[in-house]
Amino acid sequence: MEKSPEIAVAQFRKSVQLLGSSTESHGDPTLMRFLIARSMDPDKAAKMFVQWQKWRAEFVPLGFIPDSEIPDELEARKAYLQGLSREGYPVLIIKTSNHFPSKDQLQFKKFVVHILDKTIASSFKGSEIGNEKLIGVIDLKQISYKNIDARALITGFQFLQAYYPERLAKCFLLNMPWFFVSVWRMVSYFLEKATLEKVVIVTNETEKEEFIREIGEAALLEEYGGQAKLVAIQDVVLTPTES
């Protein structure tokens, strides 16, 4: 017999306490993300949650990564925040032709956290609920060999899996050239089954129609058939959230 979500959350909270931590400042929607990511196993979810808390305290001590800590990554203007999809998910677009493998891996990791945090926060309606998701679009148009960076892709997806469980609604890969297929195959080895199931490589008209339908014309770029213009993530100003 399966446990009800309420029972699972209650057991989750107790398991976190036994690990010497607390869930006091987090609501049920946040805890459910960790439970779902660990197949509703309260002990495994609690372990993941405590590891996330520790990572967050050490890696993001201010609660966010300021622009001043990632100047080189922002200067490349490769990440764009395009408003909300038809379902209300913020749309993050990565233009890979503007990306070059970073010489500063710490700055790149901070950049990943910065864009994920800001994208998720852009969907808050006054305050965070805890179950907000995002849609990622990785556009490989005009990519060349000098732009290929498997490590960057692996880092991005691993951060999503370890520190942003159940935040990814879907990820679309557009304009994949033939020489990138082997790169993606390698990256895929590092993705959990649940993550892979959310990735759509747009290669035919049916997949293109699904992409257009899910994003919606308001957030869809003009070059994809929508009405939106590119907005660099550093040019997006968010309203303060309620505490």
Side-chain angles (χ1 to χ4, degrees):
M1 185 176 178
E2 291 187 7
K3 300 172 187 173
S4 70
E6 293 79 13
I7 292 174
V9 167
Q11 291 179 340
F12 178 106
R13 290 186 185 277
K14 288 180 181 178
S15 295
V16 170
Q17 284 185 323
L18 291 172
L19 291 172
S21 192
S22 171
T23 59
E24 190 175 341
S25 59
H26 300 280
D28 288 1
T30 295
L31 306 189
M32 277 301 298
R33 288 194 292 106
F34 286 86
L35 279 164
I36 292 169
R38 289 297 176 262
S39 303
M40 299 304 289
D41 184 312
D43 292 335
K44 290 181 180 179
K47 184 178 179 181
M48 183 185 193
F49 179 81
V50 171
Q51 288 173 339
W52 166 73
Q53 285 183 311
K54 182 181 178 183
W55 168 80
R56 194 84 195 173
E58 293 175 353
F59 200 77
V60 200
L62 298 176
F64 67 100
I65 302 292
D67 290 11
S68 59
E69 292 187 14
I70 51 172
D72 299 334
E73 298 297 330
L74 288 176
E75 186 180 0
R77 297 183 79 84
K78 57 191 169 186
Y80 300 85
L81 191 49
Q82 295 303 125
L84 303 180
S85 73
R86 201 184 300 272
E87 294 295 320
Y89 302 139
V91 179
L92 173 67
I93 295 179
I94 304 296
K95 290 282 190 177
T96 54
S97 60
N98 292 347
H99 172 81
F100 299 92
S102 178
K103 296 177 182 177
D104 184 344
Q105 283 300 304
L106 178 58
Q107 184 178 159
F108 179 76
K109 289 177 180 179
K110 288 184 176 183
F111 173 69
V112 171
V113 173
H114 174 87
I115 63 175
L116 291 177
D117 281 357
K118 191 167 184 178
T119 300
I120 292 164
S122 72
S123 69
F124 294 170
K125 295 176 175 62
S127 61
E128 181 179 6
I129 295 173
N131 60 359
E132 294 89 351
K133 296 179 183 288
L134 65 90
I135 289 178
V137 178
I138 301 175
D139 191 346
L140 298 157
K141 186 176 182 180
Q142 295 181 331
I143 191 174
S144 66
Y145 287 104
K146 62 186 177 182
N147 304 120
I148 292 177
D149 190 357
R151 179 161 67 168
L153 272 172
I154 292 167
T155 296
F157 279 109
Q158 286 187 329
F159 270 42
L160 274 168
Q161 291 175 164
Y163 308 126
Y164 297 83
E166 294 300 307
R167 286 296 202 186
L168 182 64
K170 193 156 286 186
C171 179
F172 293 95
L173 269 60
L174 307 181
N175 303 306
M176 183 184 287
W178 64 269
F179 60 81
F180 197 82
V181 173
S182 58
V183 178
W184 178 250
R185 189 176 294 124
M186 181 181 70
V187 171
S188 297
Y189 289 138
F190 295 87
L191 271 58
E192 296 171 1
K193 183 174 180 286
T195 303
L196 268 176
E197 289 174 348
K198 295 172 183 175
V199 177
V200 177
I201 301 174
V202 179
T203 59
N204 56 46
E205 281 304 311
T206 301
E207 290 159 348
K208 184 178 179 181
E209 287 171 7
E210 178 190 354
F211 168 67
I212 293 172
R213 183 173 61 252
E214 289 214 22
I215 302 297
E217 287 189 2
L220 194 67
L221 287 185
E222 290 176 340
E223 65 182 278
Y224 304 153
Q227 302 170 348
K229 297 185 183 299
L230 275 175
V231 182
I233 197 161
Q234 61 263 45
D235 296 337
V236 176
V237 179
L238 301 182
T239 56
T241 57
E242 299 169 6
S243 55

